[in-house]
Amino acid sequence: MEEYIVSARKYRPMTFDSVVGQLALTTTLKNAVKSGKLAHAYLFCGPRGVGKTTCARIFAKAINCLTPTADGEACGQCESCQAFNEQRSYNIFELDAASNNSVEHIKTLMEQTRIPPQVGKYKVFIIDEVHMLSTQAFNAFLKTLEEPPQHVIFILATTEKHKILPTILSRCQIYDFERMTVQGTIDHLKYVADKEGIQYEDEALAVIAEKADGGMRDALSIFDQAASFCQGNITYQKVIQDLNVLDAENYFSIIDLAVENKVSDIMLLLNSIINKGFDGGLLIQGLAKHVRNVLMAKDAATLPLLEVSQQQRERFQQQAQKCDTRFLYQALRLMNQCDINYRQSANKRLLVELTLIEIAQITQPDDTPVAGRRPKRLKTLFKQLLQQSQPKNTAPQVAVAEPVVAPRPVVTSVKQQPTAPQGAPRLKRTITFSWNNLLHKDNGLQSADNQQDADQPNEQKPFTNQELQLEWLSMCNRMPIKNQQLLGIATRMKNLCPCITEFPAVELQVENTLVKEQIEQIHGKILTTLKHYLHNSDITLTVNVVEHDAPVRILSRREQFELMEKENPSVGRLREAFDLELA
């Protein structure tokens, strides 16, 4: 029985022309061989499985060829080429830096550079995975690399160029190898399949090429695995079964259902995918890549960015015509956020389900009630709350100023309706607040010089404690706007709670004499402001210091609001609906 050789070794390129996907790089190397202008050190860097070591061997063979061809290829017939093919050449040395990375190994290598070649022109040292050398080994290698003997050429290969010292990089000609394109990988797999007499489907080879992620060696290894599983007939269904790859048809179906807002069907499809053993995080990653491809397919200019087969490219174009660009942008944003939070999530399936639900709701009409979505129009929501909180046949008690641009509203008080006679229907408490109350056009205290304007002889309008406290808080909010020097006293005054002792006498209790002195400095303006906004010219204001042993505890504004919210749940519902904050 003939010895089996894996495809990655059997079809390893032996000439520059047989190297796949590196045309510009191999052309440069052939020109260097033809002209004889060779550097003393080369660095081949790039991802795994793209031909770095292969090109290094072909280059080393061409350098030492006694009769190279006109285009820079090795003849394959001379003594040097024959020795290389039979692996008995003394002019080409390969060192694996992953296992020979110490200073002693490098010193041994440097000693070998002193011996000139017996056959050929150069001694070529190929050091693979050179980034694995230790810092001390790099330093020992540095001097020889800078000024090697004329008969020595170094070819370094690495997958991680950023780990190599800059002093090494500056002494080398650097060649960056490219990742294999999907189409280039498919074409090479077709060549290998035809050589081996294996039947195949284009879609199956496309799956293998995408799974290889730009590495030809990986693609050939996967090809051998699929060929063994499929017994000489590589089909799409068998390949996705063998590689445990989620069928791309699921992605197309999810997007089609999301555009049609069919959440239930998406949940059933997700359940079937998870039951097959696929991880929800991988589903989101694959779906994000799919949506990205759909987005690229919407524009002919970005169509070449799709690394898929021609048949798949046509499918993406068809779906791109159904999807709005805004939908694709929003879907990508949601899936990216899900991918970020997936690892930390305690309930990963729920996170995936919520993400797919949100994607399916992107194209949902705004006025359609959907569970779990906030209404976009606060005005409509606010009207619904009013209808629930107000009694029938009663004038509404809520005054709302609907600003174009305004700060966040502040809940200030709950107004209790006058007690109704016994037997009459009981009225509900209603909420009273206004942006204009907090940002009045005066923006400050009334001047004491305008006493005549504030004290109208016929103004003796009654007011309640709630109205007094509302105007007090509004006054405190306006004071810093007009005069920043009043910021400190205004902040202290917000925590004070004036109350009616004997109408219309108002008493204000403060904690200490210092606060009392500060308030008495603006006592006249405070009193004038209260008279003006409460429309009562008989108001008097007394400031007293609270005795520390007094049994009555003064509640703060927040404590008052929490008590008010406890007594009237409608206040809490309104605060949650508008996301209000207490000033």
Side-chain angles (χ1 to χ4, degrees), residues 362-388:
I362 293 175
T363 57
Q364 190 80 27
D366 293 343
D367 295 332
T368 303
V370 180
R373 295 187 70 191
R374 279 191 173 186
K376 295 184 178 180
R377 300 178 181 177
L378 292 177
K379 184 176 179 181
T380 304
L381 175 63
F382 186 63
K383 286 181 178 180
Q384 295 175 356
L385 290 175
L386 290 182
Q387 294 175 359
Q388 297 175 3

PDB file of all heavy atoms in Angstrom, residues 362-388:
ATOM      1  N   ILE A 362     -36.708  46.593  15.492  1.00  0.00           N
ATOM      2  CA  ILE A 362     -36.134  47.821  14.917  1.00  0.00           C
ATOM      3  C   ILE A 362     -37.091  48.439  13.903  1.00  0.00           C
ATOM      4  O   ILE A 362     -37.285  49.651  13.880  1.00  0.00           O
ATOM      5  CB  ILE A 362     -34.769  47.517  14.275  1.00  0.00           C
ATOM      6  CG1 ILE A 362     -33.752  47.128  15.348  1.00  0.00           C
ATOM      7  CG2 ILE A 362     -34.268  48.718  13.480  1.00  0.00           C
ATOM      8  CD1 ILE A 362     -32.418  46.697  14.790  1.00  0.00           C
ATOM      9  N   THR A 363     -37.704  47.595  13.076  1.00  0.00           N
ATOM     10  CA  THR A 363     -38.615  48.094  12.048  1.00  0.00           C
ATOM     11  C   THR A 363     -40.057  48.138  12.525  1.00  0.00           C
ATOM     12  O   THR A 363     -40.962  48.333  11.717  1.00  0.00           O
ATOM     13  CB  THR A 363     -38.520  47.204  10.795  1.00  0.00           C
ATOM     14  OG1 THR A 363     -38.821  45.841  11.153  1.00  0.00           O
ATOM     15  CG2 THR A 363     -37.124  47.266  10.195  1.00  0.00           C
ATOM     16  N   GLN A 364     -40.286  47.965  13.834  1.00  0.00           N
ATOM     17  CA  GLN A 364     -41.651  48.020  14.383  1.00  0.00           C
ATOM     18  C   GLN A 364     -42.174  49.451  14.288  1.00  0.00           C
ATOM     19  O   GLN A 364     -41.471  50.403  14.622  1.00  0.00           O
ATOM     20  CB  GLN A 364     -41.641  47.578  15.851  1.00  0.00           C
ATOM     21  CG  GLN A 364     -43.015  47.360  16.449  1.00  0.00           C
ATOM     22  CD  GLN A 364     -43.588  46.014  16.052  1.00  0.00           C
ATOM     23  OE1 GLN A 364     -42.844  45.092  15.788  1.00  0.00           O
ATOM     24  NE2 GLN A 364     -44.894  45.917  16.004  1.00  0.00           N
ATOM     25  N   PRO A 365     -43.419  49.652  13.837  1.00  0.00           N
ATOM     26  CA  PRO A 365     -43.985  51.011  13.818  1.00  0.00           C
ATOM     27  C   PRO A 365     -44.011  51.613  15.208  1.00  0.00           C
ATOM     28  O   PRO A 365     -44.201  50.920  16.207  1.00  0.00           O
ATOM     29  CB  PRO A 365     -45.401  50.787  13.264  1.00  0.00           C
ATOM     30  CG  PRO A 365     -45.322  49.502  12.508  1.00  0.00           C
ATOM     31  CD  PRO A 365     -44.322  48.658  13.241  1.00  0.00           C
ATOM     32  N   ASP A 366     -43.819  52.930  15.289  1.00  0.00           N
ATOM     33  CA  ASP A 366     -43.710  53.617  16.577  1.00  0.00           C
ATOM     34  C   ASP A 366     -44.981  53.529  17.395  1.00  0.00           C
ATOM     35  O   ASP A 366     -44.946  53.417  18.608  1.00  0.00           O
ATOM     36  CB  ASP A 366     -43.357  55.087  16.361  1.00  0.00           C
ATOM     37  CG  ASP A 366     -41.960  55.241  15.786  1.00  0.00           C
ATOM     38  OD1 ASP A 366     -41.198  54.264  15.882  1.00  0.00           O
ATOM     39  OD2 ASP A 366     -41.662  56.321  15.251  1.00  0.00           O
ATOM     40  N   ASP A 367     -46.154  53.605  16.752  1.00  0.00           N
ATOM     41  CA  ASP A 367     -47.418  53.668  17.483  1.00  0.00           C
ATOM     42  C   ASP A 367     -47.950  52.297  17.853  1.00  0.00           C
ATOM     43  O   ASP A 367     -48.999  52.186  18.476  1.00  0.00           O
ATOM     44  CB  ASP A 367     -48.473  54.409  16.652  1.00  0.00           C
ATOM     45  CG  ASP A 367     -48.074  55.865  16.462  1.00  0.00           C
ATOM     46  OD1 ASP A 367     -47.366  56.402  17.329  1.00  0.00           O
ATOM     47  OD2 ASP A 367     -48.488  56.428  15.445  1.00  0.00           O
ATOM     48  N   THR A 368     -47.271  51.238  17.414  1.00  0.00           N
ATOM     49  CA  THR A 368     -47.741  49.890  17.739  1.00  0.00           C
ATOM     50  C   THR A 368     -47.297  49.512  19.134  1.00  0.00           C
ATOM     51  O   THR A 368     -46.105  49.524  19.430  1.00  0.00           O
ATOM     52  CB  THR A 368     -47.184  48.869  16.733  1.00  0.00           C
ATOM     53  OG1 THR A 368     -47.571  49.266  15.418  1.00  0.00           O
ATOM     54  CG2 THR A 368     -47.716  47.472  17.040  1.00  0.00           C
ATOM     55  N   PRO A 369     -48.233  49.157  20.058  1.00  0.00           N
ATOM     56  CA  PRO A 369     -47.827  48.788  21.414  1.00  0.00           C
ATOM     57  C   PRO A 369     -47.111  47.456  21.415  1.00  0.00           C
ATOM     58  O   PRO A 369     -47.627  46.462  20.934  1.00  0.00           O
ATOM     59  CB  PRO A 369     -49.150  48.716  22.179  1.00  0.00           C
ATOM     60  CG  PRO A 369     -50.168  48.436  21.135  1.00  0.00           C
ATOM     61  CD  PRO A 369     -49.699  49.098  19.877  1.00  0.00           C
ATOM     62  N   VAL A 370     -45.884  47.440  21.897  1.00  0.00           N
ATOM     63  CA  VAL A 370     -45.081  46.216  21.976  1.00  0.00           C
ATOM     64  C   VAL A 370     -44.594  46.059  23.396  1.00  0.00           C
ATOM     65  O   VAL A 370     -44.102  47.012  23.998  1.00  0.00           O
ATOM     66  CB  VAL A 370     -43.871  46.279  21.016  1.00  0.00           C
ATOM     67  CG1 VAL A 370     -43.063  45.010  21.101  1.00  0.00           C
ATOM     68  CG2 VAL A 370     -44.353  46.512  19.591  1.00  0.00           C
ATOM     69  N   ALA A 371     -44.720  44.876  23.931  1.00  0.00           N
ATOM     70  CA  ALA A 371     -44.301  44.631  25.307  1.00  0.00           C
ATOM     71  C   ALA A 371     -42.812  44.862  25.446  1.00  0.00           C
ATOM     72  O   ALA A 371     -42.020  44.428  24.624  1.00  0.00           O
ATOM     73  CB  ALA A 371     -44.642  43.193  25.710  1.00  0.00           C
ATOM     74  N   GLY A 372     -42.448  45.576  26.522  1.00  0.00           N
ATOM     75  CA  GLY A 372     -41.047  45.791  26.811  1.00  0.00           C
ATOM     76  C   GLY A 372     -40.453  47.022  26.173  1.00  0.00           C
ATOM     77  O   GLY A 372     -39.305  47.317  26.390  1.00  0.00           O
ATOM     78  N   ARG A 373     -41.258  47.785  25.388  1.00  0.00           N
ATOM     79  CA  ARG A 373     -40.712  48.978  24.756  1.00  0.00           C
ATOM     80  C   ARG A 373     -41.302  50.212  25.374  1.00  0.00           C
ATOM     81  O   ARG A 373     -42.509  50.291  25.621  1.00  0.00           O
ATOM     82  CB  ARG A 373     -41.006  48.994  23.252  1.00  0.00           C
ATOM     83  CG  ARG A 373     -40.335  47.897  22.492  1.00  0.00           C
ATOM     84  CD  ARG A 373     -40.532  48.089  21.000  1.00  0.00           C
ATOM     85  NE  ARG A 373     -39.785  49.231  20.530  1.00  0.00           N
ATOM     86  CZ  ARG A 373     -39.947  49.749  19.315  1.00  0.00           C
ATOM     87  NH1 ARG A 373     -40.819  49.245  18.495  1.00  0.00           N
ATOM     88  NH2 ARG A 373     -39.237  50.787  18.963  1.00  0.00           N
ATOM     89  N   ARG A 374     -40.477  51.200  25.622  1.00  0.00           N
ATOM     90  CA  ARG A 374     -40.961  52.464  26.134  1.00  0.00           C
ATOM     91  C   ARG A 374     -41.629  53.264  25.023  1.00  0.00           C
ATOM     92  O   ARG A 374     -41.159  53.265  23.894  1.00  0.00           O
ATOM     93  CB  ARG A 374     -39.800  53.301  26.681  1.00  0.00           C
ATOM     94  CG  ARG A 374     -39.379  52.906  28.074  1.00  0.00           C
ATOM     95  CD  ARG A 374     -38.429  53.934  28.617  1.00  0.00           C
ATOM     96  NE  ARG A 374     -38.108  53.693  30.003  1.00  0.00           N
ATOM     97  CZ  ARG A 374     -37.388  54.498  30.736  1.00  0.00           C
ATOM     98  NH1 ARG A 374     -36.925  55.606  30.219  1.00  0.00           N
ATOM     99  NH2 ARG A 374     -37.130  54.224  31.995  1.00  0.00           N
ATOM    100  N   PRO A 375     -42.721  53.941  25.303  1.00  0.00           N
ATOM    101  CA  PRO A 375     -43.311  54.797  24.274  1.00  0.00           C
ATOM    102  C   PRO A 375     -42.378  55.942  23.947  1.00  0.00           C
ATOM    103  O   PRO A 375     -41.725  56.496  24.820  1.00  0.00           O
ATOM    104  CB  PRO A 375     -44.607  55.300  24.934  1.00  0.00           C
ATOM    105  CG  PRO A 375     -44.376  55.173  26.383  1.00  0.00           C
ATOM    106  CD  PRO A 375     -43.480  53.995  26.568  1.00  0.00           C
ATOM    107  N   LYS A 376     -42.318  56.291  22.673  1.00  0.00           N
ATOM    108  CA  LYS A 376     -41.412  57.341  22.248  1.00  0.00           C
ATOM    109  C   LYS A 376     -41.998  58.720  22.478  1.00  0.00           C
ATOM    110  O   LYS A 376     -41.284  59.699  22.477  1.00  0.00           O
ATOM    111  CB  LYS A 376     -41.056  57.157  20.768  1.00  0.00           C
ATOM    112  CG  LYS A 376     -40.273  55.882  20.497  1.00  0.00           C
ATOM    113  CD  LYS A 376     -39.856  55.793  19.054  1.00  0.00           C
ATOM    114  CE  LYS A 376     -39.031  54.540  18.809  1.00  0.00           C
ATOM    115  NZ  LYS A 376     -38.619  54.417  17.415  1.00  0.00           N
ATOM    116  N   ARG A 377     -43.310  58.816  22.638  1.00  0.00           N
ATOM    117  CA  ARG A 377     -43.926  60.113  22.812  1.00  0.00           C
ATOM    118  C   ARG A 377     -44.362  60.270  24.259  1.00  0.00           C
ATOM    119  O   ARG A 377     -45.322  59.659  24.706  1.00  0.00           O
ATOM    120  CB  ARG A 377     -45.136  60.246  21.884  1.00  0.00           C
ATOM    121  CG  ARG A 377     -44.753  60.115  20.402  1.00  0.00           C
ATOM    122  CD  ARG A 377     -45.972  60.190  19.517  1.00  0.00           C
ATOM    123  NE  ARG A 377     -45.611  60.038  18.120  1.00  0.00           N
ATOM    124  CZ  ARG A 377     -46.505  60.002  17.131  1.00  0.00           C
ATOM    125  NH1 ARG A 377     -47.789  60.099  17.393  1.00  0.00           N
ATOM    126  NH2 ARG A 377     -46.100  59.863  15.881  1.00  0.00           N
ATOM    127  N   LEU A 378     -43.630  61.086  25.003  1.00  0.00           N
ATOM    128  CA  LEU A 378     -43.955  61.288  26.411  1.00  0.00           C
ATOM    129  C   LEU A 378     -45.288  61.987  26.568  1.00  0.00           C
ATOM    130  O   LEU A 378     -45.978  61.806  27.564  1.00  0.00           O
ATOM    131  CB  LEU A 378     -42.846  62.103  27.073  1.00  0.00           C
ATOM    132  CG  LEU A 378     -41.497  61.398  27.214  1.00  0.00           C
ATOM    133  CD1 LEU A 378     -40.496  62.355  27.822  1.00  0.00           C
ATOM    134  CD2 LEU A 378     -41.635  60.159  28.055  1.00  0.00           C
ATOM    135  N   LYS A 379     -45.659  62.800  25.603  1.00  0.00           N
ATOM    136  CA  LYS A 379     -46.911  63.534  25.704  1.00  0.00           C
ATOM    137  C   LYS A 379     -48.084  62.569  25.746  1.00  0.00           C
ATOM    138  O   LYS A 379     -49.020  62.728  26.540  1.00  0.00           O
ATOM    139  CB  LYS A 379     -47.041  64.481  24.513  1.00  0.00           C
ATOM    140  CG  LYS A 379     -48.277  65.363  24.565  1.00  0.00           C
ATOM    141  CD  LYS A 379     -48.267  66.323  23.401  1.00  0.00           C
ATOM    142  CE  LYS A 379     -49.514  67.209  23.433  1.00  0.00           C
ATOM    143  NZ  LYS A 379     -49.552  68.144  22.305  1.00  0.00           N
ATOM    144  N   THR A 380     -48.051  61.529  24.897  1.00  0.00           N
ATOM    145  CA  THR A 380     -49.129  60.546  24.898  1.00  0.00           C
ATOM    146  C   THR A 380     -49.180  59.804  26.217  1.00  0.00           C
ATOM    147  O   THR A 380     -50.252  59.589  26.790  1.00  0.00           O
ATOM    148  CB  THR A 380     -48.907  59.560  23.743  1.00  0.00           C
ATOM    149  OG1 THR A 380     -48.821  60.296  22.524  1.00  0.00           O
ATOM    150  CG2 THR A 380     -50.051  58.565  23.654  1.00  0.00           C
ATOM    151  N   LEU A 381     -48.033  59.391  26.730  1.00  0.00           N
ATOM    152  CA  LEU A 381     -47.990  58.700  28.015  1.00  0.00           C
ATOM    153  C   LEU A 381     -48.501  59.587  29.131  1.00  0.00           C
ATOM    154  O   LEU A 381     -49.236  59.138  30.011  1.00  0.00           O
ATOM    155  CB  LEU A 381     -46.554  58.252  28.302  1.00  0.00           C
ATOM    156  CG  LEU A 381     -46.310  57.618  29.672  1.00  0.00           C
ATOM    157  CD1 LEU A 381     -47.109  56.343  29.809  1.00  0.00           C
ATOM    158  CD2 LEU A 381     -44.842  57.344  29.878  1.00  0.00           C
ATOM    159  N   PHE A 382     -48.131  60.856  29.123  1.00  0.00           N
ATOM    160  CA  PHE A 382     -48.539  61.750  30.188  1.00  0.00           C
ATOM    161  C   PHE A 382     -50.059  61.943  30.185  1.00  0.00           C
ATOM    162  O   PHE A 382     -50.694  62.006  31.231  1.00  0.00           O
ATOM    163  CB  PHE A 382     -47.828  63.097  30.020  1.00  0.00           C
ATOM    164  CG  PHE A 382     -48.074  64.044  31.164  1.00  0.00           C
ATOM    165  CD1 PHE A 382     -47.650  63.729  32.436  1.00  0.00           C
ATOM    166  CD2 PHE A 382     -48.742  65.239  30.961  1.00  0.00           C
ATOM    167  CE1 PHE A 382     -47.869  64.591  33.484  1.00  0.00           C
ATOM    168  CE2 PHE A 382     -48.966  66.095  32.002  1.00  0.00           C
ATOM    169  CZ  PHE A 382     -48.534  65.781  33.267  1.00  0.00           C
ATOM    170  N   LYS A 383     -50.656  62.029  28.987  1.00  0.00           N
ATOM    171  CA  LYS A 383     -52.100  62.169  28.918  1.00  0.00           C
ATOM    172  C   LYS A 383     -52.804  60.947  29.492  1.00  0.00           C
ATOM    173  O   LYS A 383     -53.837  61.051  30.158  1.00  0.00           O
ATOM    174  CB  LYS A 383     -52.518  62.377  27.460  1.00  0.00           C
ATOM    175  CG  LYS A 383     -52.186  63.764  26.916  1.00  0.00           C
ATOM    176  CD  LYS A 383     -52.662  63.902  25.484  1.00  0.00           C
ATOM    177  CE  LYS A 383     -52.366  65.307  24.963  1.00  0.00           C
ATOM    178  NZ  LYS A 383     -52.812  65.477  23.558  1.00  0.00           N
ATOM    179  N   GLN A 384     -52.227  59.746  29.233  1.00  0.00           N
ATOM    180  CA  GLN A 384     -52.820  58.535  29.801  1.00  0.00           C
ATOM    181  C   GLN A 384     -52.757  58.546  31.318  1.00  0.00           C
ATOM    182  O   GLN A 384     -53.709  58.134  31.992  1.00  0.00           O
ATOM    183  CB  GLN A 384     -52.091  57.311  29.250  1.00  0.00           C
ATOM    184  CG  GLN A 384     -52.268  57.128  27.739  1.00  0.00           C
ATOM    185  CD  GLN A 384     -51.442  55.981  27.213  1.00  0.00           C
ATOM    186  OE1 GLN A 384     -50.681  55.360  27.951  1.00  0.00           O
ATOM    187  NE2 GLN A 384     -51.585  55.695  25.915  1.00  0.00           N
ATOM    188  N   LEU A 385     -51.645  59.019  31.878  1.00  0.00           N
ATOM    189  CA  LEU A 385     -51.539  59.110  33.335  1.00  0.00           C
ATOM    190  C   LEU A 385     -52.542  60.093  33.902  1.00  0.00           C
ATOM    191  O   LEU A 385     -53.110  59.873  34.979  1.00  0.00           O
ATOM    192  CB  LEU A 385     -50.115  59.524  33.728  1.00  0.00           C
ATOM    193  CG  LEU A 385     -49.025  58.477  33.489  1.00  0.00           C
ATOM    194  CD1 LEU A 385     -47.667  59.073  33.810  1.00  0.00           C
ATOM    195  CD2 LEU A 385     -49.277  57.252  34.340  1.00  0.00           C
ATOM    196  N   LEU A 386     -52.796  61.186  33.193  1.00  0.00           N
ATOM    197  CA  LEU A 386     -53.775  62.175  33.666  1.00  0.00           C
ATOM    198  C   LEU A 386     -55.168  61.586  33.709  1.00  0.00           C
ATOM    199  O   LEU A 386     -55.929  61.796  34.649  1.00  0.00           O
ATOM    200  CB  LEU A 386     -53.749  63.410  32.752  1.00  0.00           C
ATOM    201  CG  LEU A 386     -52.497  64.294  32.821  1.00  0.00           C
ATOM    202  CD1 LEU A 386     -52.670  65.486  31.901  1.00  0.00           C
ATOM    203  CD2 LEU A 386     -52.252  64.760  34.224  1.00  0.00           C
ATOM    204  N   GLN A 387     -55.493  60.829  32.652  1.00  0.00           N
ATOM    205  CA  GLN A 387     -56.824  60.238  32.616  1.00  0.00           C
ATOM    206  C   GLN A 387     -57.039  59.245  33.745  1.00  0.00           C
ATOM    207  O   GLN A 387     -58.135  59.089  34.258  1.00  0.00           O
ATOM    208  CB  GLN A 387     -57.026  59.557  31.258  1.00  0.00           C
ATOM    209  CG  GLN A 387     -57.043  60.538  30.086  1.00  0.00           C
ATOM    210  CD  GLN A 387     -57.118  59.830  28.754  1.00  0.00           C
ATOM    211  OE1 GLN A 387     -57.141  58.596  28.703  1.00  0.00           O
ATOM    212  NE2 GLN A 387     -57.157  60.599  27.661  1.00  0.00           N
ATOM    213  N   GLN A 388     -55.964  58.551  34.149  1.00  0.00           N
ATOM    214  CA  GLN A 388     -56.079  57.585  35.237  1.00  0.00           C
ATOM    215  C   GLN A 388     -56.151  58.251  36.606  1.00  0.00           C
ATOM    216  O   GLN A 388     -56.794  57.747  37.516  1.00  0.00           O
ATOM    217  CB  GLN A 388     -54.890  56.616  35.210  1.00  0.00           C
ATOM    218  CG  GLN A 388     -54.829  55.775  33.946  1.00  0.00           C
ATOM    219  CD  GLN A 388     -53.584  54.931  33.901  1.00  0.00           C
ATOM    220  OE1 GLN A 388     -52.795  54.941  34.838  1.00  0.00           O
ATOM    221  NE2 GLN A 388     -53.407  54.195  32.803  1.00  0.00           N
TER     222      GLN A 388
END
